[in-house]
Amino acid sequence: MTRNLKKTGRNDPCPCGSGLKYKNCCMNKVTQSQTESLADKYLRIHKIRLKEPKDIEGIRASGTLVMATFEEVKKILVPGTTTEEINTLVHGFTVKNGAVPAPLNYNGFPKSVCTSVNDVVCHGIPGDYVLKDGDILDVDITTILNGYYADCNQTFFIGTPSTDARHLVDVTRECLKRGKEMALPGNTTGDIGWTIQHYAEAQGCSVVRELVGHGVGFSFHEAPEVAHFGKRGHGVELVPGMVFTIEPMINLGARHVRTLDDHWTVVTKDGSLSAQFEQTFVITEDGCESLTPFEL
Ligand code: MF3
Ligand code: CO
Ligand code: CO
């Protein structure tokens, strides 16, 4: 088929359909796509707030404090420690450094950190649980420093892990690593999700669907959602200035979850082990950078 590439003449009917001559109508108008910034477009279409360099600096500083908090937490991750003691440490260290623990009072959450043991998928509430040899424990720390949020979690072994636990935690860390590798401009959120799901399921594990990664920085949970499953090419196209988490929750058994009567604690339905790793990433011109880095 031959396309009609003839330019609209000054005296031709305007292609906008107004019935006026082109010269008296749209000829000198600049279209929205020619003037609208990427930031305005992403806000309008996706409700995503892109971050400027000064914002990224702020989130990075918050992330640096999160990682310093993890260094303190690691020192007490031994059998006999209670999850309440982890909460006390995270709360005190965060406040001492001029920041605010984001979980505290967030939608009514009662503590300053999430501690999720064994079959707890996420949002475990610190309390009198005493860690024991062989447990796996996810610690999820989110800090607000100078108004900027950074969100990160890691699963740790308490004492010596079972072979199963080691397998699950290795697979989950690798899921985050592979998800991160897909986080580059031109790819989509669906590419991240597909990659994680494909790997986890090939390793005999399952991906939790009910909880997803999220935009972060100006507040705790922003657009977009970053699912850890899905289809390649689906979702939102990644562009420089996007800041979001990837935080796969991977189960050794079935993917299904339920929430306990405390309205927070999410556990696996079948009682199987669940692990998670999370970092906050910023999309750059040629890839991504972790603002809460740890080795993957
Ligand atoms: N840090 C969690 C996340 O990764 C959210 C915890 S919400 C809370 O999105 F209220 F439980 F703290
Ligand atoms: Co998160
Ligand atoms: Co988190």
Side-chain angles (χ1 to χ4, degrees):
M1 189 174 78
T2 312
R3 290 169 65 211
N4 183 4
L5 296 174
K6 195 167 161 289
K7 259 180 71 187
T8 309
R10 303 168 48 80
N11 292 311
D12 290 342
C14 189
C16 83
S18 64
L20 297 171
K21 285 184 177 173
Y22 184 45
K23 69 177 178 194
N24 295 326
C25 191
C26 292
M27 191 173 84
N28 296 315
K29 280 190 196 150
V30 246
T31 61
Q32 192 173 47
S33 66
Q34 286 173 287
T35 55
E36 189 179 32
S37 71
L38 191 61
D40 287 344
K41 182 179 165 193
Y42 263 60
L43 189 59
R44 181 169 59 83
I45 297 179
H46 304 297
K47 298 188 169 25
I48 292 171
R49 298 177 70 188
L50 297 184
K51 276 70 180 179
E52 295 178 2
K54 70 166 183 354
D55 303 319
I56 293 161
E57 284 316 306
I59 302 166
R60 183 183 285 109
S62 185
T64 300
L65 179 54
V66 169
M67 300 326 289
T69 313
F70 271 110
E71 289 309 308
E72 296 303 308
V73 167
K74 283 185 201 171
K75 296 175 186 168
I76 62 167
L77 294 183
V78 292
T81 296
T82 65
T83 51
E84 181 69 48
E85 289 171 313
I86 297 168
N87 182 71
T88 303
L89 189 158
V90 168
H91 186 92
F93 189 80
T94 303
V95 170
K96 190 177 80 185
N97 284 282
V100 175
L104 187 60
N105 300 319
Y106 176 77
N107 292 340
F109 191 78
K111 298 286 179 173
S112 298
V113 63
C114 297
T115 52
S116 302
V117 184
N118 296 335
D119 64 330
V120 179
V121 172
C122 65
H123 303 167
I125 303 172
D128 48 25
Y129 181 82
V130 182
L131 296 171
K132 62 178 194 307
D133 185 58
D135 281 346
I136 61 171
L137 167 72
D138 184 82
V139 179
D140 192 337
I141 301 176
T142 312
T143 295
I144 316 167
L145 180 64
N146 300 320
Y148 290 111
Y149 290 68
D151 188 8
C152 180
N153 76 58
Q154 305 181 63
T155 299
F156 299 97
F157 299 128
I158 306 302
T160 312
S162 67
T163 311
D164 272 1
R166 196 180 286 280
H167 174 67
L168 174 67
V169 171
D170 285 349
V171 167
T172 308
R173 190 186 291 102
E174 182 69 19
C175 282
L176 180 54
K177 181 177 180 157
R178 289 180 181 226
K180 176 188 180 184
E181 285 166 359
M182 296 309 287
L184 70 175
N187 277 0
T188 67
T189 53
D191 294 328
I192 295 172
W194 182 88
T195 299
I196 290 171
Q197 181 183 9
H198 180 80
Y199 178 74
E201 292 179 354
Q203 303 307 310
C205 298
S206 67
V207 178
V208 172
R209 308 269 178 115
E210 289 80 357
L211 298 127
V212 296
H214 51 91
V216 66
F218 297 136
S219 58
F220 205 157
H221 295 111
E222 305 174 18
E225 293 192 346
V226 182
H228 308 106
F229 60 92
K231 293 191 167 66
R232 283 191 278 196
H234 283 215
V236 178
E237 183 177 334
L238 309 180
V239 295
M242 274 176 79
V243 176
F244 57 85
T245 72
I246 306 174
E247 50 179 300
M249 282 144 277
I250 307 296
N251 300 348
L252 213 38
R255 67 175 178 81
H256 306 96
V257 301
R258 66 190 174 91
T259 304
L260 300 188
D261 290 340
D262 62 19
H263 299 296
W264 280 106
T265 312
V266 179
V267 299
T268 58
K269 254 189 189 160
D270 62 9
S272 67
L273 290 179
S274 186
Q276 185 178 20
F277 288 92
E278 170 177 38
Q279 292 185 18
T280 294
F281 298 102
V282 57
I283 300 295
T284 60
E285 293 300 326
D286 57 359
C288 75
E289 180 196 346
S290 178
L291 302 175
T292 56
F294 58 83
E295 209 190 323
L296 292 173

